[in-house]
Short mmCIF file of all heavy atoms in Angstrom, two decimals:
data_model
loop_
_atom_site.label_atom_id
_atom_site.label_comp_id
_atom_site.label_asym_id
_atom_site.label_seq_id
_atom_site.Cartn_x
_atom_site.Cartn_y
_atom_site.Cartn_z
N SER A 21 1.47 23.33 -83.61
CA SER A 21 1.86 22.60 -84.94
C SER A 21 1.12 21.32 -85.12
O SER A 21 1.28 20.69 -86.15
CB SER A 21 3.37 22.43 -84.96
OG SER A 21 3.73 21.54 -83.92
N GLY A 22 0.38 20.95 -84.15
CA GLY A 22 -0.45 19.67 -84.19
C GLY A 22 -1.91 19.96 -84.19
O GLY A 22 -2.39 21.09 -84.67
N ASN A 23 -2.75 18.97 -84.05
CA ASN A 23 -4.21 19.16 -84.10
C ASN A 23 -4.78 19.81 -82.85
O ASN A 23 -5.75 20.60 -82.94
CB ASN A 23 -4.86 17.68 -84.17
CG ASN A 23 -4.40 16.91 -85.39
OD1 ASN A 23 -3.53 15.98 -85.26
ND2 ASN A 23 -4.91 17.26 -86.60
N TYR A 24 -4.09 19.50 -81.67
CA TYR A 24 -4.52 20.20 -80.48
C TYR A 24 -3.30 20.57 -79.61
O TYR A 24 -2.18 20.13 -79.78
CB TYR A 24 -5.30 19.18 -79.65
CG TYR A 24 -6.60 18.77 -80.38
CD1 TYR A 24 -6.65 17.50 -81.09
CD2 TYR A 24 -7.75 19.65 -80.38
CE1 TYR A 24 -7.79 17.15 -81.68
CE2 TYR A 24 -8.89 19.26 -80.98
CZ TYR A 24 -8.91 17.99 -81.64
OH TYR A 24 -10.04 17.62 -82.30
N ARG A 25 -3.54 21.51 -78.77
CA ARG A 25 -2.42 22.02 -77.84
C ARG A 25 -2.39 21.24 -76.63
O ARG A 25 -1.32 21.30 -75.78
CB ARG A 25 -2.54 23.47 -77.64
CG ARG A 25 -2.37 24.40 -78.81
CD ARG A 25 -2.55 25.86 -78.40
NE ARG A 25 -2.44 26.69 -79.57
CZ ARG A 25 -1.25 27.24 -79.93
NH1 ARG A 25 -0.24 27.09 -79.23
NH2 ARG A 25 -1.28 28.03 -81.08
N THR A 26 -3.44 20.46 -76.18
CA THR A 26 -3.53 19.75 -74.94
C THR A 26 -3.85 18.34 -75.14
O THR A 26 -4.45 18.04 -76.21
CB THR A 26 -4.49 20.37 -73.84
OG1 THR A 26 -5.84 20.16 -74.43
CG2 THR A 26 -4.29 21.84 -73.73
N ILE A 27 -3.36 17.48 -74.24
CA ILE A 27 -3.67 16.08 -74.39
C ILE A 27 -5.28 15.78 -74.12
O ILE A 27 -5.74 15.02 -74.73
CB ILE A 27 -2.86 15.16 -73.45
CG1 ILE A 27 -1.31 15.51 -73.69
CG2 ILE A 27 -3.00 13.66 -73.65
CD1 ILE A 27 -0.31 14.93 -72.62
N ARG A 28 -5.67 16.57 -73.12
CA ARG A 28 -7.14 16.50 -72.87
C ARG A 28 -7.95 16.68 -74.04
O ARG A 28 -8.97 15.95 -74.34
CB ARG A 28 -7.41 17.55 -71.76
CG ARG A 28 -8.92 17.61 -71.38
CD ARG A 28 -9.43 16.51 -70.52
NE ARG A 28 -9.68 15.33 -71.34
CZ ARG A 28 -9.74 14.10 -70.77
NH1 ARG A 28 -9.35 13.76 -69.55
NH2 ARG A 28 -10.00 12.99 -71.62
N GLU A 29 -7.69 17.70 -74.85
CA GLU A 29 -8.49 17.93 -76.05
C GLU A 29 -8.30 16.72 -76.97
O GLU A 29 -9.33 16.40 -77.67
CB GLU A 29 -8.01 19.19 -76.78
CG GLU A 29 -8.30 20.49 -76.05
CD GLU A 29 -7.66 21.64 -76.73
OE1 GLU A 29 -6.36 21.67 -76.86
OE2 GLU A 29 -8.36 22.59 -77.09
N ALA A 30 -7.25 16.18 -77.18
CA ALA A 30 -7.00 15.02 -78.05
C ALA A 30 -7.79 13.78 -77.55
O ALA A 30 -8.38 13.08 -78.45
CB ALA A 30 -5.53 14.67 -78.25
N LEU A 31 -7.74 13.63 -76.28
CA LEU A 31 -8.58 12.39 -75.68
C LEU A 31 -10.09 12.63 -75.98
O LEU A 31 -10.80 11.72 -76.32
CB LEU A 31 -8.25 12.20 -74.32
CG LEU A 31 -6.84 11.64 -73.94
CD1 LEU A 31 -6.66 11.77 -72.51
CD2 LEU A 31 -6.76 10.24 -74.53
N ASP A 32 -10.50 13.86 -75.69
CA ASP A 32 -11.98 14.19 -75.87
C ASP A 32 -12.33 13.90 -77.45
O ASP A 32 -13.42 13.37 -77.66
CB ASP A 32 -12.20 15.63 -75.65
CG ASP A 32 -12.18 15.85 -74.06
OD1 ASP A 32 -12.26 14.90 -73.25
OD2 ASP A 32 -12.12 17.00 -73.67
N ALA A 33 -11.44 14.37 -78.33
CA ALA A 33 -11.72 14.18 -79.78
C ALA A 33 -11.72 12.69 -80.11
O ALA A 33 -12.57 12.19 -80.90
CB ALA A 33 -10.68 14.99 -80.60
N ALA A 34 -10.82 11.98 -79.47
CA ALA A 34 -10.84 10.47 -79.73
C ALA A 34 -12.11 9.86 -79.34
O ALA A 34 -12.62 8.88 -79.94
CB ALA A 34 -9.59 9.85 -79.12
N GLY A 35 -12.68 10.27 -78.16
CA GLY A 35 -13.95 9.84 -77.71
C GLY A 35 -15.08 10.06 -78.58
O GLY A 35 -16.12 9.29 -78.49
N MET A 36 -15.03 11.06 -79.39
CA MET A 36 -16.13 11.51 -80.26
C MET A 36 -16.03 10.76 -81.58
O MET A 36 -17.00 10.95 -82.39
CB MET A 36 -16.00 12.99 -80.49
CG MET A 36 -16.15 13.81 -79.27
SD MET A 36 -17.85 13.62 -78.45
CE MET A 36 -18.83 14.53 -79.73
N ARG A 37 -14.95 10.17 -81.93
CA ARG A 37 -14.78 9.58 -83.14
C ARG A 37 -15.30 8.13 -83.26
O ARG A 37 -14.99 7.39 -82.23
CB ARG A 37 -13.36 9.64 -83.74
CG ARG A 37 -12.86 11.01 -83.99
CD ARG A 37 -11.60 10.97 -84.66
NE ARG A 37 -11.03 12.37 -84.94
CZ ARG A 37 -9.93 12.55 -85.70
NH1 ARG A 37 -9.36 11.54 -86.38
NH2 ARG A 37 -9.54 13.78 -85.88
N ARG A 38 -15.84 7.64 -84.33
CA ARG A 38 -16.00 6.23 -84.67
C ARG A 38 -14.59 5.63 -85.01
O ARG A 38 -13.94 6.14 -86.02
CB ARG A 38 -16.92 6.00 -85.77
CG ARG A 38 -18.46 6.27 -85.35
CD ARG A 38 -19.34 5.79 -86.44
NE ARG A 38 -20.71 6.08 -86.19
CZ ARG A 38 -21.67 5.74 -86.95
NH1 ARG A 38 -21.47 5.12 -88.14
NH2 ARG A 38 -22.93 5.96 -86.65
N ARG A 39 -14.18 4.59 -84.32
CA ARG A 39 -12.88 4.08 -84.61
C ARG A 39 -12.83 2.62 -84.31
O ARG A 39 -13.58 2.02 -83.54
CB ARG A 39 -11.87 4.74 -83.73
CG ARG A 39 -12.13 4.89 -82.24
CD ARG A 39 -11.19 5.84 -81.52
NE ARG A 39 -11.61 6.00 -80.06
CZ ARG A 39 -11.32 4.99 -79.17
NH1 ARG A 39 -10.52 4.07 -79.47
NH2 ARG A 39 -11.73 5.27 -77.91
N THR A 40 -11.96 2.02 -85.04
CA THR A 40 -11.67 0.59 -84.77
C THR A 40 -10.22 0.35 -84.66
O THR A 40 -9.34 1.04 -85.25
CB THR A 40 -12.24 -0.38 -85.97
OG1 THR A 40 -11.60 0.12 -87.16
CG2 THR A 40 -13.71 -0.21 -86.02
N GLY A 41 -9.73 -0.60 -83.86
CA GLY A 41 -8.32 -0.93 -83.64
C GLY A 41 -7.71 0.18 -82.84
O GLY A 41 -8.31 1.02 -82.18
N ARG A 42 -6.42 0.31 -82.97
CA ARG A 42 -5.57 1.22 -82.13
C ARG A 42 -5.65 2.66 -82.62
O ARG A 42 -5.74 2.89 -83.82
CB ARG A 42 -4.14 0.76 -82.22
CG ARG A 42 -3.24 1.67 -81.20
CD ARG A 42 -3.42 1.06 -79.83
NE ARG A 42 -3.14 -0.33 -79.65
CZ ARG A 42 -3.44 -1.01 -78.72
NH1 ARG A 42 -4.07 -0.40 -77.75
NH2 ARG A 42 -3.05 -2.22 -78.54
N PHE A 43 -5.84 3.63 -81.64
CA PHE A 43 -6.01 4.95 -81.91
C PHE A 43 -4.76 5.63 -81.41
O PHE A 43 -4.53 5.68 -80.15
CB PHE A 43 -7.27 5.55 -81.29
CG PHE A 43 -7.53 6.92 -81.80
CD1 PHE A 43 -8.33 7.17 -83.00
CD2 PHE A 43 -7.00 8.11 -81.25
CE1 PHE A 43 -8.62 8.47 -83.44
CE2 PHE A 43 -7.33 9.41 -81.71
CZ PHE A 43 -8.10 9.52 -82.78
N ILE A 44 -3.93 6.18 -82.23
CA ILE A 44 -2.63 6.78 -81.81
C ILE A 44 -2.51 8.19 -81.65
O ILE A 44 -2.96 8.88 -82.60
CB ILE A 44 -1.56 6.27 -82.88
CG1 ILE A 44 -1.61 4.69 -82.96
CG2 ILE A 44 -0.25 6.77 -82.41
CD1 ILE A 44 -0.75 4.16 -84.11
N ILE A 45 -2.21 8.75 -80.57
CA ILE A 45 -2.03 10.08 -80.29
C ILE A 45 -0.55 10.37 -80.05
O ILE A 45 0.01 9.85 -79.02
CB ILE A 45 -2.91 10.54 -79.06
CG1 ILE A 45 -4.42 10.29 -79.29
CG2 ILE A 45 -2.61 12.02 -78.73
CD1 ILE A 45 -5.17 10.53 -78.11
N TYR A 46 0.03 11.17 -80.93
CA TYR A 46 1.47 11.52 -80.72
C TYR A 46 1.49 12.79 -79.96
O TYR A 46 0.98 13.82 -80.34
CB TYR A 46 2.05 11.58 -82.10
CG TYR A 46 3.45 12.26 -82.10
CD1 TYR A 46 4.40 12.08 -81.20
CD2 TYR A 46 3.69 13.23 -83.09
CE1 TYR A 46 5.66 12.64 -81.38
CE2 TYR A 46 5.07 13.84 -83.20
CZ TYR A 46 5.95 13.53 -82.27
OH TYR A 46 7.15 14.20 -82.38
N VAL A 47 2.29 12.81 -78.84
CA VAL A 47 2.35 14.01 -77.93
C VAL A 47 3.81 14.57 -78.17
O VAL A 47 4.80 13.92 -77.64
CB VAL A 47 2.15 13.69 -76.54
CG1 VAL A 47 2.09 14.93 -75.62
CG2 VAL A 47 0.71 12.87 -76.42
N LYS A 48 3.98 15.64 -78.80
CA LYS A 48 5.25 16.18 -79.11
C LYS A 48 5.83 16.66 -77.68
O LYS A 48 5.32 16.85 -76.74
CB LYS A 48 5.10 17.43 -80.04
CG LYS A 48 4.83 17.04 -81.40
CD LYS A 48 5.06 18.18 -82.28
CE LYS A 48 4.79 17.75 -83.90
NZ LYS A 48 4.99 18.96 -84.76
N ALA A 49 7.18 16.90 -77.73
CA ALA A 49 8.00 17.40 -76.51
C ALA A 49 7.38 18.55 -75.98
O ALA A 49 6.79 19.47 -76.61
CB ALA A 49 9.45 17.62 -76.99
#
């Protein structure tokens, strides 16, 4: 139901993005 099924995938995606300020990853139960 989210963008990714694993936290590793979300961290990898965050590393590929241009971003400023805080980058928030919500990890469901």
Side-chain angles (χ1 to χ4, degrees):
S21 61
N23 303 103
Y24 298 99
R25 292 179 182 268
T26 69
I27 305 169
R28 173 75 279 156
E29 290 174 303
L31 290 172
D32 288 343
M36 297 293 291
R37 294 192 181 192
R38 288 187 178 181
R39 50 191 175 82
T40 57
R42 187 75 60 195
F43 192 91
I44 302 167
I45 299 174
Y46 167 43
V47 185
K48 288 188 176 182

